[in-house]
Amino acid sequence: DSQNPRAVRRSARRMRIAWGLLLGAVWTALHGNPNLVNFAGGTLLGLGILHLLQRRNVLQKREVLPARSPLLSRIGAAFQLAAVFLYELVLANFRLAQEVLKRRMTLQPGFIAYPLRASSNLEITTLAIMISLTPGTLSVALSEDRTTLFIHATQAENPEQTVQEIRKTLEDRILAVTR
């Protein structure tokens, strides 16, 4: 390396501290009781896990996580999937409530055959669950060859558009997390 070894160690130490603080914040959020003791405990636990992973050579010695780490990319994709799914969930609730509150509902329910690109059990199950959790859509069946997911939608007047929306908002993001 052409970099100063002291600067590299300092940078790695800062990264470990940043990841420890992030893990402490996640621990506190998951614990459900936000206080300083939980945050400190989560931070120490996170730093301990990072230390063990580095000692066992799971992580590179000089960096907590390399800048272009596949793990880091997947974590980012998972956060993006969660954010997009929550947005779609709120939007679908709003659209369905709006439809129900109309004087004359214009629902056009129907079944849609959704061609899957997902292939693993995890990918297919995650997609099916997210579709079923979204108001107005329900995963009904999976074809025997596991290439088509059958979906019931309250608005099925344009199946191709629905397929493209699901692919763009959910399936592509699920695949970014799992592959």
Side-chain angles (χ1 to χ4, degrees), residues 26-159:
V26 169
W27 174 269
T28 303
L30 291 175
H31 193 270
N33 187 9
N35 60 42
L36 188 58
V37 173
N38 277 336
F39 180 72
T43 301
L44 289 175
L45 180 66
L47 288 171
I49 290 170
L50 288 173
H51 178 72
L52 287 173
L53 290 174
Q54 280 186 321
R55 288 195 60 131
R56 302 239 187 250
N57 290 326
V58 175
L59 297 176
Q60 293 181 6
K61 287 287 185 191
R62 290 191 173 184
E63 300 180 46
V64 173
L65 287 173
R68 297 203 180 263
S69 164
L71 176 62
L72 197 56
S73 296
R74 285 183 175 193
I75 291 170
F79 279 117
Q80 187 180 35
L81 172 63
V84 168
F85 177 66
L86 288 174
Y87 172 78
E88 289 295 322
L89 194 63
V90 169
L91 191 62
N93 272 297
F94 178 74
R95 285 179 183 158
L96 195 58
Q98 194 176 31
E99 184 65 36
V100 168
L101 294 174
K102 284 182 182 176
R103 286 184 183 247
R104 185 168 167 234
M105 285 192 279
T106 58
L107 296 177
Q108 295 181 348
F111 290 93
I112 298 170
Y114 181 85
L116 289 168
R117 286 189 295 150
S119 57
S120 74
N121 287 340
L122 176 65
E123 294 166 348
I124 294 170
T125 302
T126 303
L127 179 62
I129 289 171
M130 288 182 152
I131 288 170
S132 293
L133 286 173
T134 306
T137 56
L138 179 67
S139 300
V140 179
L142 180 64
S143 65
E144 285 188 34
D145 62 359
R146 300 169 50 94
T147 60
T148 305
L149 182 65
F150 296 98
I151 301 167
H152 181 271
T154 55
Q155 293 293 346
E157 70 276 359
N158 190 345

